[in-house]
Amino acid sequence: MEYIKNLYKIEEDKNLLNDHLKADKFMIKLFFLNWILVSTLGAYFYNMYFFGILNGGIIFFVALLFYKLYGGKPIFRLIVGILLPVYAMILVQQNFGRIEMHFHFFVLLAFLTVYKDYKPVAVASILIVLQHLIFTYLQLNELSFFDMKVIIYNYGCSYDIALLHGFFVVLEWYILTIIIKTNISNFQKIHMYKSKLLKKSLDVINQNLIASKTNLKGEIIEVSDKFCEISKYSKEELIGKNHSIVRHPDMPNELFAEIWSTIKSGKTWHGEIKNLDKNGDFYWVDTTIIPEFDSDENHIGYTSIRHDITNNKKIEILNEQLIVEMDQNKKKELLLIEQNKMAALGEMIGNIAHQWKQPLNAISLIVSGMKLEKMMGTLDVKNLDKSFDDILDSIEYSSNTINTFKNFIKEKKELKQMYVQDRIKQSLKIVGPVLDYNRIELILDLKDSTPFSFTSVSGEVDEVIINILNNAKDAILEKSIKNPWIKISVDRLLDNRCEISIEDNAGGIPLEIIDKIFDQYYTTKENLSGTGIGLYMSKRIIVETLKGELSVCNTENGAKFKIIFNLD
């Protein structure tokens, strides 16, 4: 009784069930082909179309009915084992028992090996052996059906022949049973291996991939461990909910409307989504949502696969912030350069004022003397020429001073080859008169006999030298140094570098601030006349343009600046 119940049960192994269903479909097709090709067209030479089409059709439709009722179940496979050999019986009868038609029995038996089940072959083999014995009896006794004599052999009929045929059928049954059992064993091994491989793959996906499955309503029915890890929700908290549980308020409604429109149409959606975990922290995921279909192409849900791109997004944000900051720094840099120019211009105007004092004083004295002599009536016309000449000399001196500063300011800022000694002398044309006016002695050791050539942006080295000399002058005047001096020396170092040293006797820089004097906006001038950008810009010029060094130290006399850079 239990055996009969099992005949109507669906196979629990899904892989085996799918294999049986595929085999059942194949058998229905085979029944139809046998009906058309074997039982109908096979009767062409013997004018037995009606017999073939009627009997073959009955068998086909009976098989089709059972397929609809029991497809995939063991009972249907047994029915196939019973009905399929009938086509061979019809073919033998139509051809009056010709020996070659008996091979159709063996061919149909072989087709039954598509099943991973040896019982249909057993049933078919038993049926064929019994049919041979029964039909042998009927032919020997010359019995008929519907006035049609039964003929199974046309070359002599006996039980010996029937038993011989039965032996070959049993032999094929045995061989096919071995083949089927081997197929079953291989099938199980393959699917066991696939199952293990699939389990490993699913474990890897579960642990490393942010994945989820939903039904058509968008309700979560399955989530990976990685999804739970990144969202901070447990599986129990996620199953049955939709993905709005992790939705970030920054994501617009239009985006989700677009997602639903895409996936409902059966297309895959891909994009980046910002989510919110259970703790309120955001995370970004690169998301692919794929519509899922069953074996009959029915839309059953959606599978979402994501990977964490939070760090990439953070880097993007940092890059954007960096670009903004760089832009702001560039603006600050331009402002700093402009401030440095204005400070330098202020120094220039101060230097011009110093140099103009002497000729203006001379002109004032000459004119005042001439006016006084006229008032007293002692003005001698003969002496006017000399006075005019002195005034013209003073005016020419002032004009030359203006030209010197104009040439310095208007010099094109371009990369060119220059000599160190020339740049120092050019700088001294600007600040030298001021130093002379303040009775500051200049001590020069420029090695004029061996000019040192270098390549740089014209005027920049001059700015550095002028800035250092002005700072030295300010320190000397602030401290009221007696017998003040500034020493400028030039040396070629062993590694083909030049060293310009500028030393004063103003007593040096306090140790607590000496490391800060190159900092931006740092000034030591108590009267707030300094901007704090002169030495900062000077160091930048030497380090960035000349790839050199600008340093300072205290000596027994005062501060000593060293400018070192490569020569050509």
Side-chain angles (χ1 to χ4, degrees), residues 116-193:
K116 303 298 185 295
D117 186 353
Y118 57 86
K119 290 188 283 295
V121 174
V123 169
S125 299
I126 293 170
L127 180 65
I128 292 169
V129 171
L130 291 175
Q131 182 263 342
H132 274 61
L133 292 172
I134 293 170
F135 275 52
T136 298
Y137 171 81
L138 295 175
Q139 183 175 346
L140 288 174
N141 290 279
E142 296 183 351
L143 296 177
S144 302
F145 290 111
F146 304 104
D147 297 328
M148 180 185 296
K149 292 181 66 176
V150 175
I151 300 177
I152 188 170
Y153 307 113
N154 68 343
Y155 48 88
C157 180
S158 68
Y159 287 108
D160 291 340
I161 296 174
L163 291 173
L164 180 62
H165 280 223
F167 170 76
F168 285 114
V169 169
V170 172
L171 180 61
E172 185 179 5
W173 172 16
Y174 176 74
I175 294 170
L176 293 180
T177 300
I178 293 173
I179 292 172
I180 291 169
K181 286 184 177 181
T182 303
N183 288 344
I184 293 172
S185 176
N186 292 337
F187 181 84
Q188 290 173 340
K189 287 178 181 178
I190 290 169
H191 282 279
M192 189 178 295
Y193 172 76

Coordinates of all heavy atoms in Angstrom, one line a residue, residues 116-193:
K116 N 16.2 9.1 -14.8 CA 17.1 8.6 -13.7 C 16.2 7.7 -12.8 O 16.1 7.9 -11.6 CB 17.6 9.8 -12.9 CG 18.3 10.9 -13.7 CD 19.6 10.4 -14.4 CE 20.4 11.4 -15.1 NZ 19.7 12.1 -16.2
D117 N 15.7 6.7 -13.5 CA 14.8 5.7 -12.8 C 14.8 4.4 -13.6 O 14.5 4.5 -14.8 CB 13.4 6.3 -12.7 CG 12.4 5.4 -11.8 OD1 12.8 4.3 -11.5 OD2 11.3 5.9 -11.5
Y118 N 15.1 3.3 -13.0 CA 15.2 2.1 -13.8 C 13.9 1.3 -13.8 O 13.8 0.3 -14.6 CB 16.3 1.1 -13.2 CG 16.1 0.8 -11.7 CD1 15.3 -0.3 -11.3 CD2 16.7 1.5 -10.7 CE1 15.1 -0.6 -10.0 CE2 16.5 1.2 -9.4 CZ 15.7 0.2 -9.0 OH 15.5 -0.1 -7.7
K119 N 12.9 1.7 -13.1 CA 11.6 1.0 -13.1 C 10.9 1.1 -14.4 O 10.3 0.1 -14.8 CB 10.7 1.6 -12.0 CG 11.2 1.2 -10.6 CD 10.3 1.6 -9.5 CE 10.3 3.0 -9.2 NZ 11.6 3.5 -8.6
P120 N 10.8 2.2 -15.2 CA 10.2 2.2 -16.5 C 10.8 1.2 -17.4 O 10.0 0.5 -18.2 CB 10.4 3.6 -17.0 CG 10.5 4.5 -15.8 CD 11.3 3.6 -14.8
V121 N 12.1 1.0 -17.4 CA 12.8 0.0 -18.3 C 12.3 -1.4 -17.9 O 12.1 -2.3 -18.7 CB 14.3 0.2 -18.2 CG1 15.0 -1.0 -19.0 CG2 14.7 1.5 -18.7
A122 N 12.2 -1.6 -16.6 CA 11.9 -2.9 -16.1 C 10.4 -3.3 -16.5 O 10.2 -4.4 -17.0 CB 12.0 -3.0 -14.5
V123 N 9.5 -2.3 -16.3 CA 8.1 -2.5 -16.7 C 8.0 -2.8 -18.2 O 7.3 -3.7 -18.7 CB 7.2 -1.3 -16.3 CG1 5.9 -1.4 -17.0 CG2 7.1 -1.2 -14.8
A124 N 8.7 -2.0 -19.0 CA 8.7 -2.1 -20.5 C 9.3 -3.5 -20.9 O 8.7 -4.1 -21.8 CB 9.4 -1.0 -21.1
S125 N 10.4 -3.9 -20.3 CA 11.0 -5.2 -20.6 C 10.1 -6.3 -20.3 O 9.9 -7.3 -21.2 CB 12.3 -5.3 -19.9 OG 13.2 -4.3 -20.2
I126 N 9.5 -6.3 -19.2 CA 8.5 -7.4 -18.8 C 7.4 -7.4 -19.8 O 6.9 -8.5 -20.2 CB 8.0 -7.2 -17.3 CG1 9.2 -7.4 -16.4 CG2 6.9 -8.1 -17.0 CD1 8.9 -7.0 -14.9
L127 N 6.8 -6.2 -20.1 CA 5.7 -6.2 -21.0 C 6.1 -6.7 -22.4 O 5.3 -7.5 -23.0 CB 5.2 -4.7 -21.2 CG 4.1 -4.5 -22.1 CD1 2.8 -5.2 -21.6 CD2 3.8 -3.0 -22.3
I128 N 7.3 -6.4 -22.9 CA 7.7 -6.9 -24.2 C 7.9 -8.4 -24.2 O 7.4 -9.1 -25.2 CB 9.1 -6.2 -24.6 CG1 8.8 -4.7 -24.9 CG2 9.7 -6.8 -25.9 CD1 10.1 -3.9 -25.0
V129 N 8.5 -9.0 -23.2 CA 8.6 -10.4 -23.1 C 7.2 -11.1 -23.1 O 7.0 -12.1 -23.8 CB 9.4 -10.8 -21.8 CG1 9.4 -12.3 -21.6 CG2 10.9 -10.3 -21.9
L130 N 6.3 -10.6 -22.3 CA 5.0 -11.2 -22.2 C 4.3 -11.0 -23.5 O 3.6 -11.9 -24.0 CB 4.2 -10.5 -21.1 CG 4.6 -10.8 -19.6 CD1 3.8 -9.9 -18.7 CD2 4.4 -12.2 -19.3
Q131 N 4.4 -9.8 -24.2 CA 3.8 -9.6 -25.5 C 4.3 -10.6 -26.5 O 3.5 -11.2 -27.3 CB 4.1 -8.2 -25.9 CG 3.4 -7.8 -27.3 CD 4.4 -8.0 -28.5 OE1 5.6 -8.0 -28.3 NE2 3.8 -8.1 -29.7
H132 N 5.6 -10.9 -26.5 CA 6.2 -11.9 -27.4 C 5.6 -13.3 -27.2 O 5.2 -14.0 -28.1 CB 7.7 -11.9 -27.3 CG 8.4 -10.9 -28.1 ND1 8.2 -9.5 -28.0 CD2 9.3 -11.0 -29.2 CE1 8.9 -8.9 -28.9 NE2 9.6 -9.8 -29.6
L133 N 5.4 -13.7 -25.9 CA 4.9 -15.0 -25.6 C 3.4 -15.1 -26.0 O 3.0 -16.1 -26.6 CB 5.1 -15.3 -24.1 CG 6.5 -15.5 -23.7 CD1 6.6 -15.6 -22.2 CD2 7.1 -16.7 -24.3
I134 N 2.7 -14.0 -25.6 CA 1.2 -14.0 -25.9 C 0.9 -14.0 -27.4 O 0.1 -14.8 -27.9 CB 0.5 -12.9 -25.2 CG1 0.6 -13.0 -23.7 CG2 -0.9 -12.7 -25.7 CD1 0.2 -11.8 -22.9
F135 N 1.7 -13.1 -28.1 CA 1.4 -13.0 -29.6 C 1.9 -14.3 -30.3 O 1.4 -14.6 -31.4 CB 2.1 -11.8 -30.1 CG 1.3 -10.5 -30.0 CD1 0.7 -10.2 -28.8 CD2 1.0 -9.7 -31.1 CE1 -0.1 -9.0 -28.7 CE2 0.2 -8.6 -31.0 CZ -0.4 -8.2 -29.8
T136 N 2.9 -15.0 -29.8 CA 3.4 -16.2 -30.3 C 2.3 -17.3 -30.2 O 2.0 -18.0 -31.2 CB 4.6 -16.7 -29.6 OG1 5.7 -15.8 -29.8 CG2 5.1 -18.1 -30.2
Y137 N 1.6 -17.3 -29.1 CA 0.5 -18.2 -28.9 C -0.6 -17.9 -29.9 O -1.2 -18.7 -30.5 CB 0.0 -18.1 -27.4 CG -1.3 -18.8 -27.2 CD1 -1.3 -20.2 -27.0 CD2 -2.5 -18.1 -27.2 CE1 -2.5 -20.9 -26.8 CE2 -3.7 -18.8 -27.0 CZ -3.7 -20.2 -26.8 OH -4.9 -20.8 -26.6
L138 N -0.9 -16.6 -30.0 CA -2.0 -16.1 -30.9 C -1.7 -16.5 -32.3 O -2.6 -16.9 -33.1 CB -2.3 -14.6 -30.7 CG -2.8 -14.2 -29.4 CD1 -2.9 -12.6 -29.3 CD2 -4.2 -14.8 -29.0
Q139 N -0.5 -16.2 -32.7 CA -0.1 -16.5 -34.1 C -0.1 -18.0 -34.4 O -0.6 -18.5 -35.5 CB 1.3 -16.0 -34.5 CG 1.6 -16.2 -36.0 CD 3.0 -15.5 -36.3 OE1 3.5 -14.7 -35.6 NE2 3.5 -15.9 -37.5
L140 N 0.4 -18.8 -33.4 CA 0.4 -20.3 -33.6 C -1.1 -20.8 -33.7 O -1.3 -21.8 -34.4 CB 1.1 -21.0 -32.4 CG 2.6 -20.8 -32.4 CD1 3.2 -21.4 -31.1 CD2 3.3 -21.5 -33.6
N141 N -2.0 -20.2 -33.0 CA -3.4 -20.6 -33.0 C -4.2 -19.9 -34.1 O -5.4 -20.0 -34.1 CB -4.0 -20.5 -31.6 CG -3.4 -21.5 -30.7 OD1 -3.8 -22.7 -30.6 ND2 -2.4 -21.1 -29.9
E142 N -3.5 -19.1 -34.9 CA -4.2 -18.4 -36.0 C -5.4 -17.6 -35.5 O -6.4 -17.6 -36.2 CB -4.5 -19.3 -37.1 CG -3.3 -20.0 -37.7 CD -3.7 -20.9 -38.9 OE1 -4.9 -21.1 -39.1 OE2 -2.8 -21.4 -39.6
L143 N -5.2 -16.9 -34.4 CA -6.3 -16.0 -33.9 C -6.3 -14.7 -34.5 O -5.2 -14.2 -35.0 CB -6.2 -15.9 -32.4 CG -6.4 -17.3 -31.6 CD1 -6.2 -17.1 -30.2 CD2 -7.8 -17.9 -31.9
S144 N -7.4 -14.0 -34.5 CA -7.5 -12.6 -35.2 C -8.2 -11.7 -34.2 O -8.9 -12.0 -33.3 CB -8.3 -12.7 -36.5 OG -7.7 -13.7 -37.4
F145 N -7.9 -10.3 -34.5 CA -8.6 -9.2 -33.9 C -9.3 -8.4 -34.9 O -8.6 -7.9 -35.8 CB -7.6 -8.4 -33.0 CG -7.1 -9.1 -31.8 CD1 -5.8 -9.4 -31.7 CD2 -8.0 -9.3 -30.7 CE1 -5.4 -10.1 -30.6 CE2 -7.5 -10.0 -29.6 CZ -6.2 -10.4 -29.5
F146 N -10.6 -8.2 -34.9 CA -11.3 -7.4 -35.9 C -10.9 -7.8 -37.3 O -10.6 -7.0 -38.1 CB -11.0 -5.9 -35.7 CG -11.3 -5.4 -34.3 CD1 -10.3 -5.2 -33.4 CD2 -12.6 -5.2 -33.9 CE1 -10.6 -4.7 -32.1 CE2 -12.9 -4.8 -32.6 CZ -11.9 -4.5 -31.7
D147 N -11.0 -9.2 -37.5 CA -10.7 -9.8 -38.8 C -9.2 -9.5 -39.2 O -8.9 -9.6 -40.4 CB -11.6 -9.2 -39.9 CG -13.1 -9.6 -39.6 OD1 -13.3 -10.7 -39.0 OD2 -14.0 -8.8 -39.9
M148 N -8.3 -9.2 -38.3 CA -6.9 -9.0 -38.7 C -6.1 -10.1 -37.9 O -6.1 -10.2 -36.7 CB -6.4 -7.6 -38.2 CG -5.0 -7.4 -38.6 SD -4.4 -5.8 -37.9 CE -5.4 -4.7 -38.8
K149 N -5.5 -10.9 -38.8 CA -4.7 -12.0 -38.2 C -3.5 -11.5 -37.4 O -2.8 -10.6 -37.9 CB -4.2 -13.0 -39.3 CG -5.4 -13.7 -39.9 CD -4.9 -14.7 -41.0 CE -4.0 -15.8 -40.4 NZ -3.6 -16.8 -41.4
V150 N -3.3 -12.0 -36.2 CA -2.1 -11.6 -35.4 C -0.9 -12.3 -36.0 O -0.8 -13.5 -36.2 CB -2.3 -12.0 -34.0 CG1 -1.0 -11.7 -33.2 CG2 -3.5 -11.3 -33.4
I151 N 0.1 -11.4 -36.3 CA 1.4 -11.9 -36.9 C 2.5 -11.2 -36.1 O 2.7 -10.0 -36.2 CB 1.5 -11.6 -38.4 CG1 0.4 -12.3 -39.2 CG2 2.9 -12.1 -38.9 CD1 0.4 -12.0 -40.6
I152 N 3.4 -12.0 -35.5 CA 4.5 -11.4 -34.8 C 5.8 -11.8 -35.5 O 6.8 -11.1 -35.4 CB 4.6 -11.8 -33.3 CG1 5.7 -11.0 -32.6 CG2 4.7 -13.3 -33.1 CD1 5.6 -11.2 -31.1
Y153 N 5.8 -12.9 -36.2 CA 7.0 -13.4 -36.9 C 6.6 -13.7 -38.3 O 5.6 -14.5 -38.5 CB 7.7 -14.6 -36.3 CG 8.0 -14.4 -34.8 CD1 7.3 -15.2 -33.9 CD2 9.0 -13.5 -34.4 CE1 7.6 -15.0 -32.5 CE2 9.2 -13.4 -33.0 CZ 8.5 -14.1 -32.1 OH 8.8 -14.0 -30.8
N154 N 7.3 -13.3 -39.4 CA 7.0 -13.7 -40.7 C 8.0 -14.7 -41.3 O 8.1 -15.0 -42.4 CB 6.9 -12.5 -41.7 CG 8.3 -11.8 -41.9 OD1 9.2 -12.1 -41.1 ND2 8.4 -11.0 -42.9
Y155 N 8.9 -15.2 -40.4 CA 9.9 -16.1 -40.8 C 9.9 -17.4 -40.0 O 10.9 -18.1 -39.8 CB 11.3 -15.5 -40.6 CG 11.5 -14.8 -39.2 CD1 12.0 -15.6 -38.2 CD2 11.2 -13.5 -39.0 CE1 12.2 -15.0 -36.9 CE2 11.4 -12.9 -37.8 CZ 11.9 -13.6 -36.8 OH 12.1 -13.1 -35.5
G156 N 8.7 -17.7 -39.5 CA 8.5 -18.9 -38.7 C 8.2 -18.5 -37.3 O 8.8 -17.6 -36.7
C157 N 7.2 -19.2 -36.7 CA 6.8 -18.8 -35.3 C 6.9 -20.0 -34.4 O 6.5 -21.1 -34.7 CB 5.3 -18.4 -35.4 SG 4.6 -17.9 -33.8
S158 N 7.6 -19.7 -33.2 CA 7.8 -20.8 -32.2 C 8.1 -20.1 -30.9 O 8.5 -19.0 -30.9 CB 8.8 -21.8 -32.6 OG 10.1 -21.1 -32.6
Y159 N 7.9 -20.9 -29.9 CA 8.3 -20.4 -28.5 C 9.8 -20.2 -28.4 O 10.2 -19.4 -27.6 CB 7.7 -21.3 -27.4 CG 6.2 -21.2 -27.3 CD1 5.3 -22.2 -27.7 CD2 5.6 -20.0 -26.7 CE1 4.0 -22.1 -27.6 CE2 4.3 -19.9 -26.6 CZ 3.4 -20.9 -27.0 OH 2.1 -20.8 -26.9
D160 N 10.5 -21.0 -29.1 CA 12.0 -20.9 -29.1 C 12.4 -19.5 -29.5 O 13.3 -18.8 -28.9 CB 12.7 -21.9 -29.9 CG 12.5 -23.3 -29.4 OD1 12.2 -23.4 -28.2 OD2 12.7 -24.3 -30.2
I161 N 11.8 -19.0 -30.6 CA 12.1 -17.7 -31.1 C 11.7 -16.6 -30.1 O 12.4 -15.6 -29.8 CB 11.5 -17.4 -32.5 CG1 12.0 -18.4 -33.5 CG2 11.6 -16.0 -33.0 CD1 11.3 -18.4 -34.9
A162 N 10.5 -16.8 -29.5 CA 10.0 -15.9 -28.6 C 10.9 -15.8 -27.3 O 11.2 -14.7 -26.8 CB 8.6 -16.3 -28.1
L163 N 11.4 -17.0 -26.9 CA 12.3 -17.0 -25.7 C 13.6 -16.3 -26.1 O 14.2 -15.7 -25.2 CB 12.5 -18.4 -25.2 CG 11.2 -19.0 -24.6 CD1 11.5 -20.5 -24.2 CD2 10.9 -18.3 -23.3
L164 N 14.1 -16.6 -27.3 CA 15.3 -15.9 -27.7 C 15.2 -14.4 -27.7 O 16.1 -13.7 -27.2 CB 15.7 -16.5 -29.1 CG 17.1 -15.9 -29.7 CD1 18.2 -16.3 -28.8 CD2 17.3 -16.4 -31.1
H165 N 14.1 -13.9 -28.3 CA 13.9 -12.5 -28.3 C 13.8 -12.0 -26.9 O 14.3 -10.9 -26.5 CB 12.6 -12.2 -29.1 CG 12.8 -12.2 -30.6 ND1 12.3 -11.2 -31.4 CD2 13.5 -13.0 -31.4 CE1 12.6 -11.4 -32.6 NE2 13.4 -12.5 -32.6
G166 N 13.1 -12.8 -26.0 CA 12.9 -12.4 -24.6 C 14.3 -12.3 -23.9 O 14.5 -11.4 -23.1
F167 N 15.2 -13.3 -24.3 CA 16.5 -13.2 -23.7 C 17.3 -11.9 -24.0 O 17.9 -11.3 -23.1 CB 17.3 -14.5 -24.2 CG 18.8 -14.4 -23.8 CD1 19.2 -14.7 -22.5 CD2 19.7 -14.0 -24.8 CE1 20.5 -14.6 -22.2 CE2 21.1 -13.9 -24.4 CZ 21.5 -14.2 -23.1
F168 N 17.2 -11.5 -25.3 CA 17.9 -10.3 -25.7 C 17.2 -9.1 -25.0 O 17.9 -8.1 -24.7 CB 17.9 -10.2 -27.2 CG 18.8 -11.1 -27.9 CD1 18.4 -12.1 -28.7 CD2 20.2 -10.9 -27.7 CE1 19.3 -12.9 -29.3 CE2 21.1 -11.8 -28.3 CZ 20.7 -12.8 -29.1
V169 N 15.9 -9.1 -24.8 CA 15.2 -8.0 -24.2 C 15.7 -7.9 -22.7 O 16.0 -6.8 -22.2 CB 13.7 -8.2 -24.2 CG1 13.0 -7.2 -23.3 CG2 13.2 -8.0 -25.6
V170 N 15.8 -9.1 -22.0 CA 16.2 -9.1 -20.6 C 17.7 -8.7 -20.5 O 18.0 -7.9 -19.6 CB 16.0 -10.5 -20.0 CG1 16.7 -10.6 -18.7 CG2 14.5 -10.9 -19.9
L171 N 18.5 -9.1 -21.5 CA 19.9 -8.7 -21.5 C 20.0 -7.1 -21.7 O 20.8 -6.5 -20.9 CB 20.6 -9.3 -22.7 CG 22.1 -9.0 -22.8 CD1 22.9 -9.4 -21.6 CD2 22.7 -9.7 -24.1
E172 N 19.2 -6.6 -22.6 CA 19.2 -5.1 -22.7 C 18.7 -4.5 -21.4 O 19.2 -3.4 -21.0 CB 18.4 -4.7 -23.9 CG 18.5 -3.2 -24.1 CD 17.6 -2.7 -25.3 OE1 16.9 -3.5 -25.9 OE2 17.7 -1.5 -25.6
W173 N 17.7 -5.0 -20.8 CA 17.1 -4.5 -19.6 C 18.3 -4.5 -18.5 O 18.4 -3.5 -17.8 CB 16.0 -5.5 -19.1 CG 15.5 -5.2 -17.7 CD1 15.6 -4.1 -16.9 CD2 14.7 -6.1 -17.0 NE1 15.0 -4.2 -15.8 CE2 14.4 -5.5 -15.7 CE3 14.1 -7.4 -17.2 CZ2 13.6 -6.1 -14.7 CZ3 13.3 -8.0 -16.3 CH2 13.1 -7.3 -15.0
Y174 N 19.0 -5.5 -18.4 CA 20.1 -5.6 -17.5 C 21.2 -4.5 -17.8 O 21.6 -3.7 -16.8 CB 20.8 -7.0 -17.5 CG 22.0 -7.1 -16.6 CD1 21.9 -7.2 -15.2 CD2 23.3 -7.1 -17.1 CE1 23.0 -7.3 -14.4 CE2 24.4 -7.2 -16.3 CZ 24.2 -7.3 -14.9 OH 25.3 -7.4 -14.1
I175 N 21.6 -4.4 -19.0 CA 22.6 -3.4 -19.4 C 22.1 -2.0 -19.2 O 22.8 -1.1 -18.6 CB 23.0 -3.6 -20.9 CG1 23.7 -4.9 -21.1 CG2 23.9 -2.4 -21.4 CD1 23.9 -5.3 -22.5
L176 N 20.8 -1.7 -19.6 CA 20.2 -0.4 -19.4 C 20.1 0.0 -17.9 O 20.2 1.1 -17.5 CB 18.9 -0.3 -20.1 CG 18.9 -0.4 -21.6 CD1 17.5 -0.2 -22.2 CD2 19.8 0.7 -22.2
T177 N 19.8 -1.0 -17.1 CA 19.7 -0.8 -15.7 C 21.0 -0.4 -15.1 O 21.1 0.6 -14.2 CB 19.2 -2.1 -14.9 OG1 17.9 -2.5 -15.5 CG2 19.1 -1.8 -13.4
I178 N 22.1 -1.0 -15.5 CA 23.4 -0.6 -15.1 C 23.7 0.8 -15.5 O 24.2 1.6 -14.7 CB 24.5 -1.6 -15.6 CG1 24.3 -3.0 -15.0 CG2 25.9 -1.0 -15.4 CD1 25.2 -4.0 -15.6
I179 N 23.4 1.1 -16.8 CA 23.6 2.5 -17.3 C 22.8 3.5 -16.5 O 23.3 4.6 -16.1 CB 23.2 2.6 -18.8 CG1 24.2 1.7 -19.6 CG2 23.2 4.0 -19.3 CD1 23.8 1.6 -21.1
I180 N 21.5 3.2 -16.2 CA 20.7 4.1 -15.5 C 21.2 4.3 -14.1 O 21.3 5.5 -13.6 CB 19.2 3.6 -15.5 CG1 18.6 3.7 -16.9 CG2 18.4 4.5 -14.5 CD1 17.3 3.0 -17.0
K181 N 21.6 3.3 -13.4 CA 22.1 3.4 -12.0 C 23.4 4.2 -12.0 O 23.6 5.0 -11.1 CB 22.4 2.0 -11.4 CG 21.1 1.3 -11.0 CD 21.4 0.0 -10.4 CE 20.1 -0.7 -9.9 NZ 20.3 -2.0 -9.2
T182 N 24.2 4.0 -13.1 CA 25.4 4.8 -13.2 C 25.1 6.3 -13.4 O 25.7 7.2 -12.8 CB 26.3 4.3 -14.4 OG1 26.6 2.9 -14.2 CG2 27.6 5.1 -14.5
N183 N 24.1 6.5 -14.3 CA 23.6 7.9 -14.5 C 23.1 8.5 -13.2 O 23.4 9.7 -13.0 CB 22.5 7.9 -15.6 CG 23.1 7.6 -17.0 OD1 24.3 7.7 -17.2 ND2 22.2 7.3 -17.9
I184 N 22.4 7.7 -12.5 CA 21.8 8.3 -11.2 C 23.0 8.6 -10.2 O 23.0 9.7 -9.6 CB 20.9 7.3 -10.5 CG1 19.6 7.1 -11.4 CG2 20.5 7.7 -9.1 CD1 18.7 5.9 -10.9
S185 N 23.9 7.7 -10.1 CA 25.1 8.0 -9.3 C 25.9 9.2 -9.7 O 26.2 10.1 -8.9 CB 26.0 6.7 -9.3 OG 27.2 7.0 -8.5
N186 N 26.1 9.3 -11.0 CA 26.9 10.5 -11.5 C 26.1 11.8 -11.3 O 26.6 12.8 -11.0 CB 27.2 10.3 -13.0 CG 28.2 9.2 -13.2 OD1 29.0 8.9 -12.3 ND2 28.2 8.7 -14.4
F187 N 24.8 11.6 -11.6 CA 23.9 12.8 -11.4 C 23.9 13.3 -9.9 O 24.0 14.5 -9.7 CB 22.4 12.4 -11.8 CG 21.4 13.5 -11.7 CD1 21.3 14.4 -12.7 CD2 20.7 13.6 -10.5 CE1 20.3 15.4 -12.6 CE2 19.7 14.6 -10.4 CZ 19.6 15.5 -11.4
Q188 N 23.9 12.4 -9.0 CA 23.9 12.7 -7.6 C 25.2 13.3 -7.2 O 25.3 14.3 -6.4 CB 23.6 11.5 -6.7 CG 22.1 11.0 -6.8 CD 21.9 9.7 -6.1 OE1 22.8 8.9 -5.9 NE2 20.6 9.4 -5.8
K189 N 26.3 12.8 -7.7 CA 27.6 13.3 -7.4 C 27.8 14.7 -7.9 O 28.3 15.6 -7.2 CB 28.7 12.4 -8.0 CG 28.9 11.1 -7.3 CD 30.0 10.2 -7.9 CE 30.1 8.9 -7.2 NZ 31.1 8.0 -7.9
I190 N 27.3 14.9 -9.2 CA 27.5 16.2 -9.8 C 26.7 17.3 -9.0 O 27.2 18.3 -8.7 CB 27.0 16.2 -11.3 CG1 28.0 15.4 -12.1 CG2 26.8 17.6 -11.8 CD1 27.5 15.1 -13.5
H191 N 25.4 16.9 -8.7 CA 24.6 17.9 -8.0 C 25.0 18.0 -6.5 O 24.8 19.1 -6.0 CB 23.1 17.5 -8.1 CG 22.5 17.8 -9.4 ND1 22.1 19.1 -9.7 CD2 22.4 17.0 -10.5 CE1 21.6 19.1 -11.0 NE2 21.8 17.9 -11.5
M192 N 25.6 17.0 -6.0 CA 26.2 17.1 -4.6 C 27.3 18.1 -4.6 O 27.5 19.0 -3.8 CB 26.6 15.8 -4.1 CG 27.0 15.8 -2.6 SD 27.5 14.2 -2.0 CE 26.0 13.3 -2.2
Y193 N 28.2 18.0 -5.7 CA 29.3 18.9 -5.8 C 28.8 20.3 -6.1 O 29.3 21.3 -5.5 CB 30.2 18.4 -7.0 CG 31.3 19.4 -7.3 CD1 32.5 19.5 -6.5 CD2 31.2 20.2 -8.5 CE1 33.4 20.4 -6.9 CE2 32.2 21.1 -8.8 CZ 33.3 21.2 -8.0 OH 34.3 22.1 -8.3

